[in-house]
Amino acid sequence: MAGTIGFIGLGNMGGPMAANLVKAGYTVRGFDLAPASLETARGEGVAIAASALEAAAGAETVITMLPAGRHVVEVWTQLAEAVPDGTLLIDSSTVDVESARKSHALARGRGCLSVDAPVSGGTGGARGATLTFMAGGSDEAFARAEPILKRMGKNVFHCGADGAGQAAKICNNMILGISMIGVSEAFALGEKLGLSHQALYDVASVSSGQCWSLTSYCPVPGPVPTSPANNGYKPGFAAALMLKDLRLAQAAALASGAATPLGAEAAQVYGLFDGLGHGDEDFSAIIRMLRGAKGA
Ligand code: NAD
């Protein structure tokens, strides 16, 4: 008997995640503000509710997958006041650490258990149930959340106390943003020096320049056939989402007093790219702007 889950936010990520919970045998009651998302979810076996509170009624666990911190705090404020003691609230959105901690405090103040559990793996990971979850919260809350998260993802990590999942997410994505710019600059320089993409790839992929942005997500077509560069830079992971995460990292750096000069630079570079109208391209398309290519 798998139990009942309320799922709020059935967009590009939440929709397929809720569908995987249905496949795993849970009764899932979903809510979203967008009628189109509701219809798609209904087709996947999600029971549609008329509000967030209706989705949560009678559920042992409620999951939110929303755009930003303010949406999560707003929905959790309603939920914490309405759901019974002992209900588990999980937020898998990517939000600022401060909003995550505020949400935990709201939940705890009302006798709920809570976990911040942002994801990496994108929409493909959401569909294939291969997401990586980075979780923050008490041991008790994590122990209850883990079996549910494992139905939507392949790797589930308990990173620490309240907000630690969001902290891990933005630190990881700051590495990713900086490394993608680094790899792209190296290919752009190699081109000017007459070096073929394959030659640079062959050397760097087994040398000290090796990193995920090079070997799994190479920003030029050819060396890694599955990378978005081979598919017109269709996301993948959109540049606008990378910018969002880099800005969250900068907000956290400012609040905590951490020096992140390259993270700040990466946020500026992606801000420029987004401002030029490229936010819906894959984030590896940044190489086009760094080349100074026409149209980039
Ligand atoms: P999305 O915009 O497709 O979905 C968000 C959904 O939330 C929308 O359908 C919207 O109608 C709904 N919504 C907003 N406010 C609501 C409210 N008050 N009540 C009910 N529904 C509400 O976004 P997404 O791509 O699914 O991303 C969700 C979260 O996951 C974001 O925080 C994003 O940063 C994060 N994320 C996305 C990806 C990705 O590749 N798309 C990868 C990792 C993490």
Side-chain angles (χ1 to χ4, degrees):
M1 184 44 201
T4 300
I5 295 178
F7 207 114
I8 298 157
L10 300 165
N12 293 324
M13 296 292 290
M17 289 164 72
N20 283 325
L21 292 175
V22 172
K23 280 185 205 135
Y26 290 96
T27 299
V28 182
R29 271 208 301 272
F31 176 66
D32 194 291
L33 294 177
S37 301
L38 290 176
E39 276 321 301
T40 308
R42 194 196 302 278
E44 298 286 351
V46 175
I48 300 307
S51 67
L53 291 186
E54 193 179 304
E60 301 88 37
T61 304
V62 184
I63 301 174
T64 48
M65 192 53 168
L66 298 166
R70 66 178 189 282
H71 307 102
V72 177
V73 171
E74 185 189 309
V75 171
W76 277 44
T77 302
Q78 292 175 39
L79 291 174
E81 280 173 13
V83 299
D85 279 10
T87 304
L88 172 65
L89 304 185
I90 301 174
D91 178 48
S92 282
S93 328
T94 302
V95 308
D96 57 290
V97 176
E98 205 179 316
S99 294
R101 291 188 176 144
K102 196 170 169 184
S103 303
H104 277 282
L106 280 166
R108 188 165 298 121
R110 293 287 178 160
C112 298
L113 293 171
S114 53
V115 173
D116 56 293
V119 301
S120 84
T123 50
R127 278 193 299 276
T130 57
L131 293 168
T132 295
F133 285 90
M134 298 148 256
S138 68
D139 289 344
E140 186 190 0
F142 179 74
R144 268 188 54 192
E146 190 179 18
I148 298 170
L149 301 180
K150 281 197 162 151
R151 296 306 198 150
M152 300 181 285
K154 200 166 59 172
N155 299 306
V156 180
F157 297 103
H158 189 193
C159 300
D162 298 358
Q166 297 294 349
K169 164 88 188 177
I170 55 173
C171 289
N172 178 73
N173 280 16
M174 189 175 78
I175 296 173
L176 179 61
I178 293 170
S179 71
M180 182 52 80
I181 292 170
V183 169
S184 297
E185 286 188 3
F187 274 104
L189 174 60
E191 287 165 4
K192 293 271 192 213
L193 300 175
L195 189 60
S196 76
H197 291 160
Q198 193 63 48
L200 176 55
Y201 180 85
D202 289 345
V203 171
S205 63
V206 293
S207 303
S208 43
Q210 191 277 333
C211 63
W212 190 90
S213 292
L214 177 73
T215 54
S216 293
Y217 220 81
C218 192
V220 295
V224 177
T226 50
S227 77
N230 300 283
N231 189 22
Y233 296 99
K234 195 167 159 263
F237 185 50
L241 287 174
M242 172 52 83
L243 176 60
K244 171 187 172 180
D245 293 357
L246 289 169
R247 285 182 171 158
L248 290 175
Q250 284 310 290
L254 196 62
S256 65
T260 55
L262 292 187
E265 193 63 34
Q268 290 293 329
V269 170
Y270 275 100
L272 191 55
F273 192 55
D274 185 57
L276 288 169
H278 299 284
D280 58 358
E281 293 173 13
D282 187 76
F283 81 109
S284 60
I286 197 74
I287 190 169
R288 291 161 140 178
M289 188 179 84
L290 294 169
R291 278 186 189 122
K294 210 172 159 199

